[in-house]
Amino acid sequence: MTNQQWQQRKDAVIAKGMGNLAPIYVESAENATVTDIEGNRYIDFASGIAVTNTGHSHPKIKQAVQKQLEQFSHTCAMVTPYSSFVELAEKITQKAPISSETKAVFLTTGAEAVENAVKIARAHTGRPGVIAFRGGFHGRTNLCMGLTGKVTPYKAGFGPFPADIFHAPFPNGYHGISEQQSLQALNDIFSCDIEPERVAAIIFEPIQGEGGFYAAPPAWAKAIRDICDQHGIVLICDEIQTGFARTGKLFATEYLDIEPDLMTMAKGIAGGFPISAVVGKADIMDAPLPGGLGGTYAGSPLACAAGLAVLDVIEKEQLCARAEEVGSFFRNRLYDIQNQCPKIGDIRQVGAMIAIELNDPKSGLPLPELTKSLVQQCTANGVIILSCGVKGNVIRFLPPLTIEFPQIEQGLAILKDCLLADK
Ligand SMILES: Cc1ncc(COP(=O)(O)O)c(C=O)c1O
């Protein structure tokens, strides 16, 4: 069977809404190399969307999961829990950038973590409202779609969305949205849409992921923290894409010099084993009644074992420092490419969360078609990259933090050839 044959079989049985980047049917993957069923090898600049931060098939993570599998694979933590469930919570609450007593709850997907963070904030405050930001992405469930600030493809055709959700512009220096404008718009929401006393939570990503890799400015985040304190609003940082050493710190919130009340985590938490978490201040976390939070697979033993191994690998292999080295290497090479290709309008990098924005050098207009074809061309030539951005004109690079530098060099040489081939 070839990749194309599997793609035909997929198209016949999987709904169109669940698209895939390219017809690459994976046979195996190791560190930053993915091999398909035809024996083609690809350099992975995507990490399954910021999940395999520790590299594919890390021996320590494999070993931890295999050991757990020998013991048992499921009992449901809400029925008969196990020590790894508690141990992972202890480690994560201790590492979260919150100085007061901290608690956690485990779930299965990122969207579920966001849903539960909002549930906890509502239970704690007794209020309904939530404020999110344009360009933000929080998941595909109904509440998360409501919070997401990007219509196509995430919201188009799926309404109605839950009430009492409002969006303010996210500050974005590159596109001329100042911190002041964002804060003024938030005040306008309080004047025109919902009084702050009815707002349970404000949620933002420390660096917008799907939205295009725009980082929240520290002074703006501090102003948001102050607004939350002034009105008794719960501040939620969505660290689902940014967490677990991706940005050069264990959590990107650490760049902001603020403490969130709640944080959502998923993706890199367990190197590909499905688990997510809400971590936050104990008095807020304890608001829902027993049984109000959880899920059948929430905090599965295999994922907890993997999560503990991931934290160990991050520490032993110093992956926060490595993320910065990988990111700087990318940035320097991307500047070289930009010198020859003025369509790269901007290069953004925080740790190994790296992006280029493609615009027409004369008109400044976004180039979504070029972005799309670049993703296809790169994949066809052996490099897996992803696009993002509200206007679809951003290429994002999320390599495993363990990637070797010659592979980055090789992958970016392919990207450069594909870019320069575009006339
Ligand atoms: C910031 C952020 N929040 C939430 C989610 C949703 O996570 P999941 O796809 O696991 O539901 C994502 C996924 O990309 C994300 O990047």
Side-chain angles (χ1 to χ4, degrees), residues 45 72 74 109 113 116-117 165 171 180 191 214 226 253 257 277 293 323 345 352 409:
F45 283 172
F72 63 97
H74 179 80
T109 65
N116 280 277
I165 292 176
Q180 209 40 49
S191 316
Y214 301 107
D226 290 346
T253 307
D257 206 21
L293 306 176
E409 193 94 68

Side-chain angles (χ1 to χ4, degrees), residues 8 12 19 58 73 123 128 147 176 223 228 260 300 350 389:
Q8 277 166 12
H58 193 291
S73 58
L147 294 172
C228 288
S300 103
V350 184

Side-chain angles (χ1 to χ4, degrees), residues 95-99 170 202-208 215-222 224-225 235-265 279 281 320 350 353:
K95 286 173 188 294
I98 299 175
S99 53
F170 194 73
I202 297 182
I203 182 167
F204 72 85
E205 297 159 85
I207 302 171
Q208 285 195 332
W220 173 87
K222 171 85 176 56
I224 297 285
R225 178 67 272 180
L235 178 57
I236 306 172
C237 282
D238 183 344
E239 287 258 14
I240 287 169
Q241 192 156 154
T242 47
F244 296 91
R246 171 56 53 191
T247 66
K249 305 249 186 218
L250 196 59
F251 299 105
T253 307
E254 293 169 47
Y255 285 108
L256 295 179
D257 206 21
I258 57 158
E259 286 193 13
D261 297 310
L262 300 179
M263 301 169 70
T264 52
M265 307 173 185
V279 174
K281 294 182 178 164
C320 287
V350 184
M353 202 165 168

